[in-house]
Amino acid sequence: MFDAPVETTISVPHSREAEEAVIGSVLIAPDLFPVLGLTAGQFYIQRLGMIWDAYARLEQRHMPIDFLTVAEELNDMGRLEEIGGPAYLTALLNQVPTTLHAEGYAEIIKAHAIRRTLLSAANEIARMAFDTSLDANDLLAQSDSALRKVGQSAEQKISTSHEIAGEIYDEMLERGKQLASGKPLVFDSIATGLMDVDRLLDGGLQPERLYIVAGRPGQGKTSWMISTTRHQVVKLGKRVAIFSLEMSKKQLMRRFLAQDAEINASKLTNGVLGPEDWEPFIKAVGRMGNSRLYLDDSPSLTPTSLRAKCHQLERTYGLDLVVVDYLQLMGAGGGMRFQNREQEVAYCSRELKLLARELRVPVLAAAQLSRAAEVRADHEPQLSDLRESGAIENDADAVTFIWRPDQSVNISRFKVGKNRDGQTGIADLLFNAPLTRFESVTSRQVDLNQ
């Protein structure tokens, strides 16, 4: 069902000539249909959208597109008389001067469709702006989301296997040339700074992927993420945004400074530094202060507000990594209704994965585990222990766990339980409790498939 043109004193953006020319061109040259990249919803004129829909249905069934098949398909759809009958199809055929400019006409149709979508988004934003019951921050987040959807709707290009295979070939060829010339290979992954963890994760955190680090309370999820983030912003110069729903910005920064200055974290918490601590503390303040680390401790973070803040950071400073601590503390936001908490967590999980794809950066999120691991003799977590939603496992590209098998020693275990494009395994890490910092140790990797 297509929307009828809206009556208005201002002409709604569209081009009858371009829409008719495209429909007629495909009747003459059916091979144009998959090339033009249009959808029925991009046509403003209702009956032309119906005809394009008929083309799509025929293409889906691998049937030829011509005058007879299109007329029959429209008849089966109950639309033939509504579009003006076979006579209208004949008229469209006869008024096409040439099919050579069909791609140009298609671009005109797409441009007008974007303008109409933008007008619709602007009307929705105006409606929300007059609704005084909406929180101002939610209004900004929803407005940003509405405008981004307009941009996403414009991305209609579908790549061929030839194009993608060619891109991969070029990448591998370039790496081979770099290796042959003695230059170090440059990868898109962001190293965690923990050698054994990076080995398990194929070099580190990869763009467009959602990583989950899960554990029970007090097992070091936040400390592990701070350890890796500090390496990334101080050692690698990366741009990292941390969204903490559990700790305040000052609490997080005290952790960063304790790790970087190698000062007992309790000294920063209590506000008492010894004479020997001041020099490394001042240097750490300088390093962290000059890093490109962005902190947000909004307690009511939602996927919509997270997305808006990340896009703002991306536009202003650029962004290499997003960290969320932790997933189950997120809420879906006002206006969203779910039958249970599991569905709400599943929604948040899926939105984090989509955010990674949108920003083309890794998203690293902590997650809480159920008590099931505590009753096992070895305390080793399993994927089934993920609390409140099995969707977390489905959405994540990699699910990792952190725990301490023996609370009397400072050896923690880091386990990759799921890795969509790589290996699984276990690495031992040293937890430096006074600094709340994780460090590499000579590790023993275990192949979980054995």
Side-chain angles (χ1 to χ4, degrees), residues 228-273:
T228 60
T229 300
R230 185 184 63 85
H231 174 79
Q232 289 152 1
V233 297
V234 173
K235 302 293 185 181
L236 305 180
K238 298 297 183 181
R239 301 158 296 184
V240 181
I242 293 186
F243 297 87
S244 175
L245 293 94
E246 191 172 36
M247 299 173 64
S248 71
K249 291 181 282 191
K250 284 189 176 180
Q251 284 177 303
L252 281 173
M253 185 50 71
R254 288 190 189 103
R255 292 272 195 104
F256 275 105
L257 292 172
Q259 289 190 12
D260 198 62
E262 298 189 346
I263 295 173
N264 192 308
S266 64
K267 292 185 178 182
L268 292 179
T269 303
N270 298 328
V272 179
L273 292 179

Side-chain angles (χ1 to χ4, degrees), residues 29-100:
D31 289 345
L32 284 171
F33 177 79
V35 175
L36 299 181
L38 289 166
T39 64
Q42 290 174 309
F43 287 82
Y44 177 73
I45 299 169
Q46 187 179 25
R47 58 181 177 176
L48 295 176
M50 293 176 185
I51 297 171
W52 193 264
D53 192 28
Y55 291 170
R57 290 161 66 104
L58 289 168
E59 176 78 6
Q60 190 175 23
R61 301 199 306 273
H62 305 289
M63 293 182 65
I65 297 174
D66 58 35
F67 180 89
L68 292 176
T69 59
V70 171
E72 185 175 347
E73 186 67 26
L74 286 165
N75 189 55
D76 291 343
M77 294 165 59
R79 301 289 193 184
L80 184 58
E81 295 307 316
E82 194 173 347
I83 65 104
Y88 183 60
L89 294 176
T90 302
L92 291 172
L93 275 170
N94 292 336
Q95 67 187 46
V96 177
T98 176
T99 61
L100 294 177

Side-chain angles (χ1 to χ4, degrees), residues 31-241:
D31 289 345
L32 284 171
F33 177 79
V35 175
L36 299 181
L38 289 166
T39 64
Q42 290 174 309
F43 287 82
Y44 177 73
I45 299 169
Q46 187 179 25
R47 58 181 177 176
L48 295 176
M50 293 176 185
I51 297 171
W52 193 264
D53 192 28
Y55 291 170
R57 290 161 66 104
L58 289 168
E59 176 78 6
Q60 190 175 23
R61 301 199 306 273
H62 305 289
M63 293 182 65
I65 297 174
D66 58 35
F67 180 89
L68 292 176
T69 59
V70 171
E72 185 175 347
E73 186 67 26
L74 286 165
N75 189 55
D76 291 343
M77 294 165 59
R79 301 289 193 184
L80 184 58
E81 295 307 316
E82 194 173 347
I83 65 104
Y88 183 60
L89 294 176
T90 302
L92 291 172
L93 275 170
N94 292 336
Q95 67 187 46
V96 177
T98 176
T99 61
L100 294 177
H101 306 306
E103 291 188 51
Y105 299 145
E107 292 305 313
I108 293 173
I109 295 171
K110 292 174 187 177
H112 283 310
I114 291 170
R115 291 185 174 90
R116 293 196 301 273
T117 307
L118 190 59
L119 283 171
S120 177
N123 288 334
E124 177 62 16
I125 292 171
R127 184 196 64 76
M128 291 189 295
F130 281 107
D131 185 352
T132 55
S133 67
L134 284 175
D135 177 77
N137 290 326
D138 283 344
L139 173 61
L140 288 172
Q142 290 182 41
S143 299
D144 180 78
S145 178
L147 290 174
R148 280 187 296 96
K149 285 179 181 177
V150 176
Q152 291 167 5
S153 68
E155 298 175 2
Q156 298 290 337
K157 178 175 171 55
I158 298 177
S159 299
T160 65
S161 58
H162 176 78
E163 291 171 333
I164 303 301
E167 288 178 11
I168 294 174
Y169 173 82
D170 291 340
E171 289 173 5
M172 299 307 296
L173 186 63
E174 183 60 29
R175 289 179 187 176
K177 289 179 179 178
Q178 288 179 356
L179 197 61
S181 65
K183 295 179 181 178
L185 293 178
V186 179
F187 297 98
D188 292 334
S189 58
I190 304 175
T192 67
L194 300 167
M195 182 176 61
D196 296 319
V197 171
D198 287 334
R199 191 153 42 232
L200 285 173
L201 295 177
D202 301 315
L205 307 177
Q206 313 286 333
E208 300 189 25
R209 299 184 187 180
L210 173 60
Y211 293 85
I212 297 294
V213 54
R216 289 293 295 157
Q219 294 300 296
K221 300 186 299 295
T222 300
S223 296
W224 185 87
M225 291 197 298
I226 291 175
S227 296
T228 60
T229 300
R230 185 184 63 85
H231 174 79
Q232 289 152 1
V233 297
V234 173
K235 302 293 185 181
L236 305 180
K238 298 297 183 181
R239 301 158 296 184
V240 181

Side-chain angles (χ1 to χ4, degrees), residues 283-417:
K283 289 181 179 179
V285 168
R287 285 189 292 269
M288 292 308 307
N290 290 321
S291 71
R292 295 187 287 181
L293 175 66
Y294 313 104
L295 302 144
D296 182 283
D297 59 1
S298 304
S300 57
L301 189 71
T302 67
T304 301
S305 60
L306 172 66
R307 181 178 284 109
K309 290 176 181 181
C310 286
H311 279 280
Q312 183 181 1
L313 284 171
E314 172 62 28
R315 290 191 297 267
T316 307
Y317 305 108
L319 205 52
D320 297 308
L321 172 66
V322 175
V323 179
V324 178
D325 187 18
Y326 61 91
L327 172 58
Q328 285 99 333
L329 287 180
M330 289 185 74
M336 302 291 290
R337 295 290 181 268
F338 299 91
Q339 293 180 355
N340 52 51
R341 178 60 182 158
E342 182 175 346
Q343 290 183 357
E344 186 172 17
V345 171
Y347 167 77
C348 294
S349 171
R350 182 58 182 160
E351 289 297 302
L352 288 182
K353 172 58 183 174
L354 294 176
L355 180 63
R357 292 289 306 275
E358 282 179 24
L359 295 172
R360 297 178 180 175
V361 302
V363 171
L364 173 63
Q368 197 75 272
L369 291 177
S370 68
R371 294 181 181 273
E374 295 181 353
V375 302
R376 298 190 187 102
D378 57 3
H379 303 296
E380 182 175 334
Q382 307 294 334
L383 290 169
S384 58
D385 298 338
L386 284 167
R387 188 173 170 185
E388 292 183 307
S389 181
I392 299 174
E393 177 188 348
N394 295 331
D395 295 330
D397 295 282
V399 179
T400 67
F401 303 97
I402 194 160
W403 79 102
R404 289 169 64 184
D406 185 349
Q407 298 297 317
S408 64
V409 296
N410 282 342
I411 295 296
S412 292
R413 309 213 82 186
F414 182 89
K415 170 184 173 181
V416 179

